[in-house]
Amino acid sequence: MATGQLFSKTTQALFYNYKQLPIQRMLDFDFLCGRETPSVAGIINPGSEGFQKLFFGQEEIAIPVHSTVLSELIHIDLARLTDMENFIEAASATHPTADVFINFASFRSAAASSMAALKQPTIRVVAIIAEGVPEADTKQLIAYARANNKVVIGPATVGGIQAGAFKIGDTAGTIDNIIQSKLYRPGSVGFVSKSGGMSNELYNTIARVTDGIYEGIAIGGDVFPGSTLSDHVLRFNNIPQVKMIVVLGELGGQDEYSLVEALKQGKVNKPVVAWVSGTCARLFKSEVQFGHAGAKSGGELESAQAKNQALKDAGAVVPTSYEALETAIKETFEKLVEAGKITPVKEVKPPQIPEDLNIAIKSGRVRAPTHIISTISDDRGEEPCYAGVPMSSIVEQGYGVGDVISLLWFKRSLPRYCTKFIEICIMLCADHGPCVSGAHNTIVTARAGKDLVSSLVSASETGLLTIGPRFGGAIDDAARYFKDAYDRGLTAYEFVESMKKKGIRVPGIGHRIKRGDNRDKRVELLQLFARTNFPSVKYMEYAVQVETYTLSKANNLVLNVDGAIGSLFLDLLAGSGMFTKQEIDEIIEIGYLNGLFVLARSIGLIGHTFDQKRLKQPLYRHPWEDVLYTK
Amino acid sequence: MARKKIREYDSKRLLKEHFKRLSGRELPIKSAQVTESTDFAELVEREPWLSSCKLVVKPDMLFGKRGKSGLVALNLDISQVATFVKERLGKQVEMGGCKGPITTFIIEPFIPHNEEFYLNIVSERLGCSISFSECGGIEIEENWDKVKTIYVPTGIPLASESCAPLVATLPLEIRGEIEEFIKVVFTLFQDVDFTFLEMNPFTLVDGKPYPLDMRGELDDTAAFKNFKKWGDIEFPMPFGRVMSATESFIHGLDEKTSASLKFTVLNPKGRIWTMVAGGGASVIYADTVGDLGYASELGNYAEYSGAPNEEEVLQYARVVIDCATVDPDGRKRALVIGGGIANFTDVAATFNGIIRALKEKESKLKAARMHIYVRRGGPNYQRGLAKMRSLGEEIGIPLEVYGPEATMTGICKQAIDCISAAA
């Protein structure tokens, strides 16, 4: 590779696989450096298109997002990447000025997307962040890049930075650190390391004892990095602004020896300060693999000691330990200053970057109001909790749907007879045949080819939306009126007559078919369960008294299922001893009980939708004969 | 995580299986694996050839020079093999300075032979090197000048012309067969993501190549695309690397998380212990203690990185502290909680776990006269460092805290000064 500068103050990149933070950090760096254009021209992201809003200083900008193949779960053979190539080609064509490709793809797809990028004539540099890219794939990228005069940085790296000009992803960390290390303006030192974490440390160290970094690259910890330490040293040697070079190598591999060769052959005429870490490897009794894939104790030649010695012999400045590296850099720089080879850097004051709200909150400097309160469940911990009860207890203790409802609706664990009652209500109300208006509407909608959710709720007047005072939802009203009348001590007679006076039908009383001598089986079942299990059924007994009186007026004015559930729920709330009077009023007021009907009937309506779809029923048309046409 | 050695048994299994898939031809390889759990009767039932031919048995433990070390037995029947294995299974041996027990053997047919060829393929940065010699076997190093090597650049198929220098001097009647063999093995090498493969020697049985001894390394980062091809593959630890209970606990933790947690005890009686964030920095901290002349006092190597969560850091820190505080002897010890300037790891968040562990272990730390030195930078570091400082005051343990304004390894020097100061 060699040649010189990779980046400039106008360099723009395509960013592959959207990550909010690294891009924002790049844009913040741009702003600090006084760049006029953002360094990210476009984003390529699997399965999404449009724009992404990000900050450029105080302002928000919209960066175009281009789609690509969803490739995270598959390995794409590098010989067959047509689809991915088409996407990347289209994005590159849209942004012809972007010549750097920053690849945040996972290790599974990083090689394929990188190869596709290398094939674009507009792309010159590809930086690969992922750790764990197969060696054979990287080798293909290396071969292609060499043949086509392109540069690969990584894999397994944080990237690199040209001070005051361009920064890859997360390189150099926080704004604080960038300012402290004076990375917003160029210095005179070229730096290259394997480790991405250590590169940040060294930017800081170098800024402490010199005029700072001109350019820094972390080549990544793999066995075969896309570009090598010596590749970048030779490149730095060609950049006039770079006056000295600092190299941080690592045990394992032979890369440092190509630098030794270059030094011996006189290809590098700027001072090189180098240190190879890993001298501790000989303390280990057996072969050891350190954190980086390439950092493995191999033969003596690959040891840190041997490499440090070889670099020293070849003319590099090699300290006796890492601890002494800072001094070695300092002395080398001071010699250059004395020799008049350093042009003093013009100091600039970088603009203030507005702090992100979440960072400010985290550090305790500001506070912000929340927008939503939730008291019934929490999904933040190891497992979701319903009203404080973890999912594992719910499953292990054999809770039922009734228990879950009691947790999520009433925020407490009700006794088993209560939750069993809730379950019985749901089972009883789950369906009531195809002719009731909710089911009918669902059937018509399903037959019109609409999806499940549409069939279930659809536009007004269908399915769930049919539920209201006329269809189904009389439970709340029944409970309200029965409770009011009972609590005020009205006799059944007084209650019914007062309702009649107001012109209100008594909710929970009356049935289309059922009669006094042919009770609703469901009502009987509920009453039987309650009489056996509830400590008190006073509201239900009151409803029965009301029924006795209304039956004396007409034979079809029986207590219906709404009335039975409504009155029994009052007994449940009052009799369980788990609710205050205020809570009971609130539950009735809010209309919890219709919730039971909505929940229950959804089961049936979903069933009707599936039934129609399974039967492949055509569009429903109501027969003429069934319509009275009139004026 | 990188290039991993595999057992000879697995190397041969992959060779046999994929040679057939790629070339349509069968290699007559037979081999059986024996470990502590092997029932010989069952094994013979599964591999009937074991009772019908003479056998070779040798340890399959990733170390070489087995013949020279007298660990290979030839021309045995199955009952003799069983006796040989029984006498050696679980016994300690020392190979190249590493001591460890033999846990795995490989059994193969005994093949009397005359020719011994050498084949070696190594993945290198710009391609692969293929070495071949007709003078293989245990004398290979003495005959190194007879080894011929070619270099195949990445992406270039292995043509007959490039292969020619390897096989040019072979007798005509076997040249074609061996050239074909090398070509298929090279294709297989790439297809199955080998990074290193060596047969020393392979011979010819009825004119067909047969590897007598084989070593292999796979690129384990390619595991995701080789799930089927590799089958039930094992990546054993390097020979002699026997993990202590604490080390294997951390190893288990490491396997379960996406973060990286490493812990190796170097000297259980050491008085300087480290717990360092970052793959690059952790090595440098261990280096520095050694480079400053105190390698003998270095208790461990420890690295955490890749944003482990608080619970993981807590469990990890507990183990490090337990090891560091074992058997108090009245002399001072130092714990170095180090790290560079993080790029994106939240320092305060990772410190939470360490702080909880330090609090839990307060009395142990005091009993061991532990002095703690902290240095770290990166996102949210001020908060993390402030928490550390107040912890020192709270539990009354000498604890010094530095940020990015201090050099990274300065605390190594302080730790050394601390343990070498009188009483």
Side-chain angles (χ1 to χ4, degrees):
Chain A
M1 47 177 253
T3 68
Q5 205 129 313
L6 290 182
F7 313 118
S8 74
K9 213 167 178 167
T10 54
T11 297
Q12 285 200 306
L14 284 176
F15 193 103
Y16 190 90
N17 205 16
Y18 176 69
K19 296 271 183 295
Q20 195 253 338
L21 271 179
I23 301 183
Q24 187 58 63
R25 286 174 179 142
M26 287 177 71
L27 299 179
D28 286 348
F29 174 78
D30 296 347
F31 184 71
L32 272 187
C33 301
R35 276 183 63 126
E36 281 164 14
T37 48
S39 57
V40 178
I43 296 163
I44 306 174
N45 200 37
S48 57
E49 260 169 308
F51 290 87
Q52 189 65 53
K53 269 189 335 156
L54 289 145
F55 283 107
F56 190 62
Q58 185 81 47
E59 310 277 303
E60 275 189 300
I61 54 170
I63 298 183
V65 180
H66 310 276
S67 186
T68 182
V69 276
L70 292 163
S71 54
E72 285 310 288
L73 289 176
I74 49 164
H75 177 256
I76 301 177
D77 193 320
L78 291 190
R80 290 188 299 256
L81 35 88
T82 337
D83 284 352
M84 184 173 271
E85 225 177 298
N86 290 341
F87 278 109
I88 290 175
E89 187 180 342
S92 306
T94 314
H95 305 286
T97 54
D99 59 359
V100 177
F101 189 88
I102 298 176
N103 197 342
F104 267 75
S106 82
F107 64 92
R108 292 183 187 83
S109 60
S113 42
S114 297
M115 184 57 97
L118 283 172
K119 291 187 173 176
Q120 305 312 316
T122 48
I123 300 290
R124 285 184 310 115
V125 180
V126 174
I128 307 167
I129 309 304
E131 182 173 354
V133 175
E135 188 180 303
D137 289 354
T138 308
K139 283 171 64 175
Q140 291 195 50
L141 297 175
I142 293 171
Y144 188 89
R146 272 173 72 93
N148 295 276
N149 205 19
K150 308 215 170 183
V151 178
V152 175
I153 299 172
T157 182
V158 69
I161 185 168
Q162 185 181 322
F166 180 80
K167 165 176 121 86
I168 296 171
D170 289 314
T171 303
T174 57
I175 297 296
D176 283 359
N177 189 60
I178 287 170
I179 292 175
Q180 205 166 3
S181 306
K182 299 206 166 110
L183 294 167
Y184 50 83
R185 55 96 180 123
S188 312
V189 182
F191 172 74
V192 60
S193 73
K194 282 200 175 167
S195 162
M198 285 308 298
S199 67
N200 203 13
E201 180 70 31
L202 262 292
Y203 297 155
N204 194 284
T205 306
I206 290 170
R208 213 161 28 216
V209 294
T210 72
D211 62 1
I213 287 286
Y214 183 80
E215 188 190 322
I217 298 285
I219 62 166
D222 273 1
V223 179
F224 298 138
S227 52
T228 65
L229 296 174
S230 53
D231 284 341
H232 292 286
V233 170
L234 290 171
R235 196 168 57 73
F236 292 154
N237 196 56
N238 293 342
I239 301 176
Q241 296 93 323
V242 172
K243 306 297 183 195
M244 64 176 278
I245 299 163
V246 177
V247 180
L248 184 64
E250 200 169 73
L251 81 160
Q254 306 267 343
D255 186 21
E256 287 79 358
Y257 290 103
S258 33
L259 178 55
V260 167
E261 281 311 304
L263 287 168
K264 278 187 182 163
Q265 291 163 16
K267 286 185 184 164
V268 184
N269 49 32
K270 296 175 182 175
V272 174
V273 182
W275 176 251
V276 178
S277 73
T279 54
C280 67
R282 62 177 52 167
L283 306 177
F284 292 78
K285 286 177 194 79
S286 67
E287 188 179 272
V288 51
Q289 172 77 59
F290 291 105
H292 296 146
K296 187 175 191 170
S297 56
E300 176 53 28
L301 206 60
E302 298 191 6
S303 73
Q305 282 85 348
K307 290 187 190 181
N308 277 322
Q309 190 59 48
L311 284 164
K312 193 170 187 174
D313 294 346
V317 179
V318 180
T320 52
S321 69
Y322 173 83
E323 187 64 1
L325 179 62
E326 182 167 343
T327 316
I329 297 169
K330 185 172 194 258
E331 287 170 1
T332 307
F333 183 74
E334 281 167 358
K335 272 185 207 158
L336 288 170
V337 173
E338 277 166 31
K341 287 191 178 163
I342 303 282
T343 330
V345 172
K346 207 174 98 207
E347 288 298 345
V348 289
K349 192 171 160 33
Q352 181 82 30
I353 293 210
E355 194 168 14
D356 278 342
L357 190 58
N358 52 0
I359 294 173
I361 292 171
K362 218 172 180 178
S363 65
R365 280 194 296 281
V366 298
R367 59 190 183 189
T370 53
H371 295 95
I372 283 179
I373 308 180
S374 166
T375 66
I376 60 166
S377 62
D378 189 339
D379 59 335
R380 291 169 303 172
E382 290 287 303
E383 54 178 327
C385 289
Y386 294 165
V389 180
M391 192 50 65
S392 51
S393 322
I394 291 173
V395 173
E396 282 156 16
Q397 292 173 22
Y399 280 24
V401 170
D403 298 282
V404 169
I405 290 172
S406 94
L407 290 172
L408 288 176
W409 293 13
F410 302 109
K411 293 170 60 180
R412 66 204 77 189
S413 278
L414 292 173
R416 185 61 191 143
Y417 78 84
C418 295
T419 59
K420 177 88 183 159
F421 174 76
I422 292 173
E423 284 165 10
I424 292 173
C425 291
I426 288 173
M427 293 189 284
L428 292 179
C429 300
D431 196 48
H432 205 205
C435 300
V436 295
S437 80
H440 177 77
N441 287 335
T442 292
I443 289 170
V444 171
T445 314
R447 289 179 58 170
K450 305 288 278 187
D451 62 293
L452 174 63
V453 177
S454 305
S455 302
L456 188 57
V457 298
S458 180
S460 60
E461 298 299 314
T462 1
L464 279 182
L465 291 171
T466 313
I467 296 171
R470 286 198 192 165
F471 171 62
I475 306 177
D476 272 314
D477 275 349
R480 263 176 220 136
Y481 285 110
F482 283 141
K483 181 167 186 302
D484 179 65
Y486 178 87
D487 291 355
R488 285 198 286 134
L490 299 186
T491 63
Y493 171 81
E494 287 165 341
F495 170 51
V496 176
E497 289 307 317
S498 72
M499 292 290 278
K500 196 177 166 192
K501 219 173 275 170
K502 283 185 244 166
I504 306 172
R505 289 170 51 239
V506 180
I509 295 287
H511 200 277
R512 219 173 59 85
I513 302 158
K514 296 297 174 185
R515 296 286 179 271
D517 48 3
N518 171 26
R519 298 300 176 87
D520 187 334
K521 190 71 186 166
R522 298 177 298 173
V523 173
E524 288 177 353
L525 289 167
L526 286 168
Q527 288 176 328
L528 178 65
F529 180 84
R531 287 207 170 95
T532 321
N533 295 286
F534 280 27
S536 149
V537 286
K538 61 182 185 184
Y539 286 107
M540 187 197 79
E541 296 299 2
Y542 183 70
V544 171
Q545 285 167 28
V546 172
E547 181 194 37
T548 311
Y549 176 65
T550 52
L551 276 177
S552 71
K553 298 189 150 210
N555 200 26
N556 68 340
L557 293 181
V558 289
L559 181 65
N560 62 29
V561 76
D562 294 340
I565 294 177
S567 58
L568 280 170
F569 228 98
L570 293 172
D571 285 321
L572 184 153
L573 294 171
S576 66
M578 298 194 64
F579 298 87
T580 65
K581 197 184 159 303
Q582 259 177 327
E583 283 175 334
I584 296 174
D585 288 343
E586 195 179 51
I587 286 167
I588 303 301
E589 171 62 30
I590 290 175
Y592 270 48
L593 308 187
N594 269 357
L596 269 186
F597 186 79
V598 172
L599 175 64
R601 190 52 56 89
S602 296
I603 298 173
L605 297 181
I606 291 170
H608 284 293
T609 307
F610 291 156
D611 193 35
Q612 295 304 309
K613 297 209 179 268
R614 191 176 51 238
L615 296 168
K616 300 198 171 45
Q617 288 298 288
L619 187 65
Y620 176 80
R621 195 173 192 288
H622 205 72
W624 281 310
E625 304 85 329
D626 193 42
V627 176
L628 168 63
Y629 291 92
T630 180
K631 296 239 164 150
Chain B
M1 195 187 55
R3 298 176 158 199
K4 291 274 175 72
K5 288 185 174 146
I6 56 171
R7 295 199 194 277
E8 180 171 359
Y9 175 79
D10 279 327
S11 287
K12 287 181 171 165
R13 175 175 66 81
L14 293 179
L15 176 69
K16 183 181 164 77
E17 202 174 308
H18 298 289
F19 195 93
K20 191 177 176 194
R21 175 173 63 84
L22 293 166
S23 72
R25 298 191 310 146
E26 186 113 28
L27 290 176
I29 295 174
K30 294 189 183 80
S31 60
Q33 190 170 57
V34 178
T35 64
E36 199 187 33
S37 62
T38 303
D39 176 335
F40 267 90
E42 264 175 42
L43 187 65
V44 171
E45 203 168 302
R46 213 167 53 237
E47 308 282 353
W49 53 270
L50 285 170
S51 52
S52 62
C53 62
K54 287 291 186 181
L55 304 168
V56 179
V57 61
K58 54 194 177 180
D60 190 359
M61 296 297 302
L62 311 185
F63 58 70
K65 306 214 166 27
R66 293 168 294 187
K68 285 185 175 170
S69 313
L71 289 166
V72 180
L74 306 173
N75 205 8
L76 306 183
D77 64 28
I78 184 71
S79 65
Q80 290 169 306
V81 166
T83 314
F84 181 89
V85 168
K86 204 176 162 193
E87 280 165 3
R88 288 167 184 80
L89 193 67
K91 294 272 154 55
Q92 295 276 334
V93 293
E94 183 167 345
M95 296 298 300
C98 294
K99 261 189 215 161
I102 301 179
T103 58
T104 310
F105 288 86
I106 179 171
I107 311 174
E108 305 181 302
F110 174 61
I111 296 173
H113 58 276
N114 297 319
E115 300 107 325
E116 292 202 331
F117 303 101
Y118 171 80
L119 177 65
N120 169 295
I121 309 178
V122 184
S123 167
E124 293 176 17
R125 186 176 158 76
L126 301 177
C128 289
S129 69
I130 306 178
S131 302
F132 175 79
S133 168
E134 44 211 283
C135 297
I138 55 176
E139 306 299 332
I140 184 71
E141 277 162 38
E142 289 78 357
N143 289 310
W144 202 250
D145 54 334
K146 298 206 178 81
V147 175
K148 285 153 245 162
T149 301
I150 58 165
Y151 198 84
V152 188
T154 306
I156 310 290
L158 179 55
S160 292
E161 307 85 75
S162 4
C163 221
L166 298 179
V167 294
T169 55
L170 288 175
L172 208 53
E173 61 272 25
I174 60 170
R175 194 187 298 166
E177 185 66 37
I178 287 182
E179 183 187 319
E180 187 55 28
F181 180 64
I182 293 174
K183 280 186 188 164
V184 176
V185 171
F186 181 62
T187 308
L188 184 149
F189 179 91
Q190 295 172 304
D191 185 86
V192 190
D193 283 280
F194 272 102
T195 56
F196 173 91
L197 179 156
E198 188 177 74
M199 296 179 203
N200 185 35
F202 76 87
T203 188
L204 294 174
V205 175
D206 302 329
K208 300 271 175 261
Y210 192 104
L212 296 173
D213 195 341
M214 187 169 171
R215 292 201 288 145
E217 285 179 30
L218 297 175
D219 172 15
D220 82 341
T221 56
F224 70 92
K225 53 174 176 163
N226 285 302
F227 184 76
K228 265 190 180 157
K229 287 182 192 169
W230 288 354
D232 189 14
I233 198 86
E234 182 197 357
F235 293 111
M237 301 234 282
F239 177 70
R241 178 89 172 84
V242 182
M243 284 204 235
S244 68
T246 48
E247 287 171 336
S248 48
F249 175 78
I250 302 280
H251 187 69
L253 216 56
D254 187 36
E255 306 248 286
K256 271 182 264 163
T257 157
S258 60
S260 167
L261 301 167
K262 303 274 180 297
F263 180 67
T264 308
V265 174
L266 297 170
N267 173 12
K269 291 184 173 13
R271 288 191 293 142
I272 298 175
W273 292 78
T274 62
M275 181 159 45
V276 181
S282 58
V283 176
I284 292 178
Y285 273 88
D287 284 355
T288 304
V289 174
D291 294 339
L292 296 177
Y294 281 77
S296 59
E297 290 290 6
L298 186 60
N300 72 320
Y301 166 77
E303 181 239 337
Y304 67 95
S305 62
N309 66 34
E310 183 175 329
E311 201 57 33
E312 288 161 353
V313 176
L314 170 68
Q315 292 196 45
Y316 177 76
R318 275 178 186 151
V319 170
V320 178
I321 297 169
D322 281 344
C323 291
T325 53
V326 85
D327 296 334
D329 56 2
R331 297 158 74 204
K332 285 183 191 165
R333 297 183 194 187
L335 175 62
V336 172
I337 300 174
I341 302 166
N343 284 311
F344 46 82
T345 306
D346 186 316
V347 172
T350 46
F351 270 12
N352 278 342
I354 299 181
I355 287 172
R356 277 172 65 193
L358 288 170
K359 270 188 194 164
E360 274 179 24
K361 308 283 181 187
E362 178 188 331
S363 54
K364 276 188 162 186
L365 290 164
K366 283 180 175 162
R369 298 193 66 197
M370 190 65 79
H371 291 236
I372 300 172
Y373 299 92
V374 180
R375 194 277 187 177
R376 186 80 164 120
N380 216 6
Y381 79 92
Q382 293 96 333
R383 203 173 164 82
L385 297 187
K387 280 186 188 170
M388 276 286 182
R389 278 196 196 97
S390 53
L391 172 82
E393 287 158 23
E394 186 189 327
I395 62 176
I397 287 174
L399 193 151
E400 304 220 24
V401 179
Y402 301 91
E405 73 290 343
T407 66
M408 188 178 88
T409 46
I411 56 174
C412 294
K413 179 81 172 54
Q414 289 190 293
I416 289 169
D417 290 346
C418 163
I419 62 153
S420 38

